[in-house]
Every structure is written in structure tokens, then in C-alpha cells.
Amino acid sequence: MSGTSAALQPPADAVKPVRHPDAPAPGELLGAHYAHCFGCGEGQPHGLHLQARAGEGVSVTAEFTVKAAHQGAPGLAHGGVLATALDETLGSLNWLLRVIAVTGRLETDFVRPVPVDTVLHLDAEVTAVHGRKIFSRATGRIGGPDGPVAVRAEALFIEVKVDHFIENGRSAEIQAAMADPDQVRRARAFEVNP
């Protein structure tokens, strides 16, 4: 992305990301991190229902279909929905690092309109890690995984502890997520996005 802000430039001593040994295997569907997440949750009737798959290294691919409920201008996806799709895809990367992280900054370029009923093909990768900072980028294409670029983003995620959610989230949802007997779902409920 041209004109990327200084906040999204990794410092010179940033390190290459390392996929966690317990990360899902390449090709594995990551699934929803939380049933009520607008980006990936199956419990959101108008959500994106984005499905991400682990890629090679510290990368993921994802796709979602733009529905009528996602439009801004008549027949076209709302820019905020497209930014949400990029953010959700970028957030899925943290599962490959096995860290809890939230979006600190997201810069999005809108390259071409995305019509309703279009499948947006997304790919994302972590580019560098510096302490608690995770630098990443994503691209969304239409017409197939190798189709023309419609949107792209660069992001900075910040690693946090689960206390971030406990102290800032609504009590009822936090308690329900923490009471889930499925340890993987319970851990993943707190994995991405503030």
C-alpha cells in the first residue's frame, strides 16, 4: 500500500513471524472464534459468516459472500463491511501465532466496488513481530482467488491478556464464554478484536 502510515511500518529490529507448533495445519478451517462475532460467528443472522483457513507459514485465506444486508450504495457492499472482512481475516492470523491480540490500527484501500452476491476472496499474512506488536496485511479479490484486487489493508495488532476482555466486555457475555466447557472454544472466544 502506498502512503502507509509510520505506525504500520515495523521497526528495523522487528522479527519474522513464527508459526506456533500447535497452530492448525495448512488447509484447516479455523472456524468461528465466538458464535456472536459479527465477522465469523454463526450466531449472527446478518454477520459476514467469514470462514478462514490456515495457510502456509503465518498466513490465512478466507472468503465471504456479500449479502443484501451488507450493502451501502444500492447493490454494492458497504465499505465498513469490507473493512470488517479484512479485519476479521487479519485477526484470524493470531490463531496461528497462538496469541490473544486486538486490532490497534487498520488502514484500508478500496480499489474497486464489490457488488452484492459477490464472493470476496481474502488472503492475509503476518509480516513482522516486535514485542507485543504484530504487523500484517491482507488483500480481498473478486472473481476468484487470483481475480482483481477490490480491497487491501495493513494492520497492527497488539497482544493482550484475557483481562482486556474481562475488564472491558459486558459481564453476561464474558461469563457465558468463560463457562463454555469446550476449552478450545473458550480460549478462542477471546482471541481477536477489541
Side-chain angles (χ1 to χ4, degrees):
M1 283 175 46
S2 61
T4 300
S5 72
L8 293 175
Q9 297 299 321
D13 60 342
V15 297
K16 183 177 178 179
V18 177
R19 183 188 190 101
H20 192 280
D22 295 330
E28 189 174 326
L29 187 64
L30 300 181
H33 74 89
Y34 178 56
H36 300 289
C37 173
F38 182 78
C40 67
E42 63 276 2
Q44 286 291 343
H46 297 298
L48 305 185
H49 303 144
L50 188 135
Q51 295 192 343
R53 288 189 182 279
E56 297 293 330
V58 188
S59 71
V60 297
T61 59
E63 55 184 55
F64 91 97
T65 302
V66 177
K67 304 290 185 190
H70 303 142
Q71 65 189 307
L76 297 174
H78 190 288
V81 169
L82 297 175
T84 300
L86 289 162
D87 184 48
E88 187 67 33
T89 304
L90 289 158
S92 296
L93 291 165
N94 299 314
W95 188 239
L96 302 179
L97 298 173
R98 298 298 294 261
V99 299
I100 299 171
V102 296
T103 309
R105 186 175 190 98
L106 176 70
E107 290 187 14
T108 306
D109 287 332
F110 301 94
V111 179
R112 67 183 66 236
V114 179
V116 170
D117 296 327
T118 296
V119 176
L120 189 65
H121 300 267
L122 299 129
D123 60 81
E125 66 177 338
V126 175
T127 58
V129 176
H130 187 259
R132 295 176 44 227
K133 294 181 178 182
I134 302 163
F135 298 85
S136 54
R137 64 178 168 227
T139 304
R141 298 174 181 273
I142 57 177
D146 297 319
V149 173
V151 292
R152 60 180 167 246
E154 290 194 30
L156 170 65
F157 278 75
I158 308 296
E159 186 176 349
V160 297
K161 302 293 183 202
V162 75
D163 292 351
H164 167 86
F165 300 95
I166 294 169
E167 293 167 4
N168 296 293
R170 275 193 338 178
S171 179
E173 283 88 348
I174 296 295
Q175 289 174 5
M178 292 185 81
D180 192 324
D182 183 322
Q183 289 183 348
V184 171
R185 273 200 330 240
R186 182 170 56 239
R188 290 203 65 206
F190 300 103
E191 83 177 346
V192 294
N193 298 330

